[in-house]
Amino acid sequence: MKKRTTLMLATAIAAGSLLFSVQGTVNAQEGQSSQQQTGAQKATVDSRANVKHVLDQAAAHALTPGIFAVAMKNGEQWSYASGQASIHDSNPIKSNYTFRIGSITKTFTATIILQLVDEKKLSLEDTIEKWLPGVVKGNGYDGDKITIRNLLQMTSGIANYTTKEFIAEFEKTPYRNYTADELIKTGLSMKPSFSPGELGKWEYSNTNTVLAGEIIRKASGDTYAHQVKKRIIDPLGLKDTYSLGSASHIPGVHARGYSIPMNSKDNKLVDFTDINPSWGNAAGDMISTGKDLNTFYSALLGGKLLKPETLQQMLNGVQTELGLYGLGMIGMKLPNGETFWGHGGDIHGSSSYAGGLIGGEHVLSVAINAMHSDTWEQRLSVIKAEFGQ
């Protein structure tokens, strides 16, 4: 038995009882004999033991019900899950579960923009004003000076609509529907954080990606969600990946999802499994699985979705506290010197990260059915364990 204590959180969600402790479960397609392991095979097994240990440590955290990772390396897939699917029973979390991917959605949105660039339907140097005339004007904003590249790279200076106040209000009415126009206007109601493209300036803002989604709609004649389905989900066979708009349910088998409300005084986990994700829009409303995310990032980093020069543009990042921030992609330097390219996702009830190495031969997705101040470090530890050997 494991006692879930309440902890004072160091940070709030805006960046973003007694329970049974379930032993981690493994689903590895290793095909190895313990008597006939080569040195390389043994190194692989040892590294996986380290990943499993890190996952078990995360699941022992008082505010982390469960966690799982799904990896693929050179065509071999394996997965491991540890902890519970709910804080109210002992059912184990499983690595094939669907979950809300939050801001991992941004990589999908950016990929669609860059495919449109490859098709010469738009340019990264096009301004917002060209595609959304009159939308970004006033209150210190000038859409003529903000490019699509600025939006995807978070160098526009446009304020983030997901403030602490916004999140607290959302938590009171988690089934409320938000339109893209409403989200954009909320962001633009605040003054710019800096001038577009100002040297050394960067700020994460969901408003940027919602605007990018609207540019997709204008350039393609279709919503970002339909374009993602047409260009990525269907061609790659991502059978468990969705953008459901305002639908509150999570398709498929899934865990319960928990967060600590913004203004919580007791810091207890609250069930936010069913919410209206429309407040995330093109910046964070999607649902997927570890396997599907690995397929996507493998194809993207393997050069199957973009031309080589366009993929290089995507990975041309500016230095931030998160790592190198490219166009809807984050590059994290690993202890062994390699760079893990992907994106994290935090949304009520779910904290995840997915990506891999350039070339797409080694990818990983990790998901936690809760969001709290330590989930960032928990996900990072799993990535380092898998790739930092």
Side-chain angles (χ1 to χ4, degrees), residues 164-348:
K164 292 181 180 180
E165 292 75 21
F166 179 94
I167 293 173
E169 186 61 32
F170 163 78
E171 290 170 346
K172 295 176 184 176
T173 55
Y175 297 105
R176 174 186 169 182
N177 189 64
Y178 292 85
T179 66
D181 286 346
E182 184 178 4
L183 298 174
I184 291 167
K185 287 178 180 177
T186 300
L188 297 178
S189 69
M190 295 173 277
K191 292 288 186 181
S193 299
F194 50 85
S195 299
E198 186 177 343
L199 188 64
K201 297 291 186 179
W202 179 90
E203 185 174 273
Y204 193 85
S205 172
N206 288 312
T207 316
N208 286 318
T209 317
V210 175
L211 282 163
E214 289 302 282
I215 290 173
I216 289 172
R217 183 176 60 80
K218 290 295 292 287
S220 69
D222 210 348
T223 65
Y224 112 86
H226 285 135
Q227 284 291 299
V228 166
K229 187 175 189 307
K230 175 183 175 181
R231 292 170 174 269
I232 299 176
I233 293 175
D234 289 346
L236 294 182
L238 308 183
K239 297 181 180 180
D240 298 302
T241 301
Y242 317 89
S243 173
L244 297 179
S246 59
S248 61
H249 70 286
I250 300 176
V253 183
H254 58 85
R256 303 304 298 178
Y258 304 91
S259 296
I260 297 173
M262 179 60 60
N263 296 319
S264 171
K265 293 189 183 349
D266 55 16
N267 293 315
K268 289 184 178 179
L269 294 173
V270 173
D271 194 319
F272 280 101
T273 307
D274 298 318
I275 61 172
N276 184 331
S278 61
W279 70 277
N281 200 268
D285 72 359
M286 290 180 66
I287 291 166
S288 191
T289 62
K291 180 181 178 181
D292 274 7
L293 289 177
N294 285 348
T295 299
F296 167 59
Y297 277 103
S298 179
L300 179 59
L301 292 167
K304 297 177 181 177
L305 298 179
L306 300 172
K307 293 179 179 179
E309 58 272 22
T310 311
L311 178 59
Q312 187 56 52
Q313 291 277 333
M314 190 179 209
L315 305 181
N316 183 21
V318 297
Q319 191 61 55
T320 76
E321 60 266 31
L322 300 178
L324 287 174
Y325 201 94
L327 306 181
M329 289 275 267
I330 302 170
M332 293 193 300
K333 189 71 74 175
L334 298 172
N336 63 4
E338 293 191 277
T339 300
F340 178 92
W341 285 99
H343 211 289
D346 285 301
I347 188 168
H348 287 78

Side-chain angles (χ1 to χ4, degrees), residues 1-322:
M1 300 295 285
K2 176 170 64 177
K3 190 172 184 179
R4 297 288 182 182
T5 58
T6 56
L7 301 179
M8 294 300 294
L9 296 183
T11 58
I13 293 173
S17 95
L18 292 171
L19 294 175
F20 185 70
S21 180
V22 180
Q23 183 64 33
T25 57
V26 67
N27 176 24
Q29 301 170 359
E30 295 174 350
Q32 300 171 343
S33 165
S34 59
Q35 283 116 2
Q36 296 178 329
Q37 287 179 348
T38 66
Q41 287 174 327
K42 188 167 189 308
T44 299
V45 173
D46 288 344
S47 68
R48 288 175 178 170
N50 188 28
V51 178
K52 296 168 192 174
H53 175 68
V54 170
L55 288 163
D56 286 337
Q57 280 188 318
H61 190 289
L63 296 174
T64 299
I67 182 172
F68 61 84
V70 183
M72 181 176 70
K73 185 175 182 181
N74 299 324
E76 180 188 32
Q77 299 187 55
W78 77 282
S79 60
Y80 186 79
S82 187
Q84 298 103 240
S86 166
I87 65 174
H88 298 297
D89 57 49
S90 60
N91 290 331
I93 196 167
K94 296 183 180 180
S95 57
N96 63 343
Y97 281 178
T98 52
F99 56 93
R100 300 189 188 280
I101 68 172
S103 287
I104 296 174
T105 302
K106 290 178 172 66
T107 306
F108 286 85
T109 301
T111 299
I112 300 304
I113 288 281
L114 292 171
Q115 287 184 339
L116 293 170
V117 169
D118 278 341
E119 296 164 8
K120 301 191 183 307
K121 293 181 179 177
L122 51 75
S123 165
L124 288 172
E125 309 316 320
D126 286 348
T127 64
I128 299 179
E129 184 65 19
K130 176 178 178 178
W131 290 103
L132 305 174
V135 172
V136 181
K137 289 289 184 184
N139 199 29
Y141 293 103
D142 184 353
D144 278 317
K145 296 180 179 179
I146 303 173
T147 66
I148 295 175
R149 185 188 301 276
N150 291 146
L151 294 179
L152 298 183
Q153 202 173 56
M154 305 290 177
T155 55
S156 70
I158 296 175
N160 188 6
Y161 66 82
T162 46
T163 61
K164 292 181 180 180
E165 292 75 21
F166 179 94
I167 293 173
E169 186 61 32
F170 163 78
E171 290 170 346
K172 295 176 184 176
T173 55
Y175 297 105
R176 174 186 169 182
N177 189 64
Y178 292 85
T179 66
D181 286 346
E182 184 178 4
L183 298 174
I184 291 167
K185 287 178 180 177
T186 300
L188 297 178
S189 69
M190 295 173 277
K191 292 288 186 181
S193 299
F194 50 85
S195 299
E198 186 177 343
L199 188 64
K201 297 291 186 179
W202 179 90
E203 185 174 273
Y204 193 85
S205 172
N206 288 312
T207 316
N208 286 318
T209 317
V210 175
L211 282 163
E214 289 302 282
I215 290 173
I216 289 172
R217 183 176 60 80
K218 290 295 292 287
S220 69
D222 210 348
T223 65
Y224 112 86
H226 285 135
Q227 284 291 299
V228 166
K229 187 175 189 307
K230 175 183 175 181
R231 292 170 174 269
I232 299 176
I233 293 175
D234 289 346
L236 294 182
L238 308 183
K239 297 181 180 180
D240 298 302
T241 301
Y242 317 89
S243 173
L244 297 179
S246 59
S248 61
H249 70 286
I250 300 176
V253 183
H254 58 85
R256 303 304 298 178
Y258 304 91
S259 296
I260 297 173
M262 179 60 60
N263 296 319
S264 171
K265 293 189 183 349
D266 55 16
N267 293 315
K268 289 184 178 179
L269 294 173
V270 173
D271 194 319
F272 280 101
T273 307
D274 298 318
I275 61 172
N276 184 331
S278 61
W279 70 277
N281 200 268
D285 72 359
M286 290 180 66
I287 291 166
S288 191
T289 62
K291 180 181 178 181
D292 274 7
L293 289 177
N294 285 348
T295 299
F296 167 59
Y297 277 103
S298 179
L300 179 59
L301 292 167
K304 297 177 181 177
L305 298 179
L306 300 172
K307 293 179 179 179
E309 58 272 22
T310 311
L311 178 59
Q312 187 56 52
Q313 291 277 333
M314 190 179 209
L315 305 181
N316 183 21
V318 297
Q319 191 61 55
T320 76
E321 60 266 31
L322 300 178

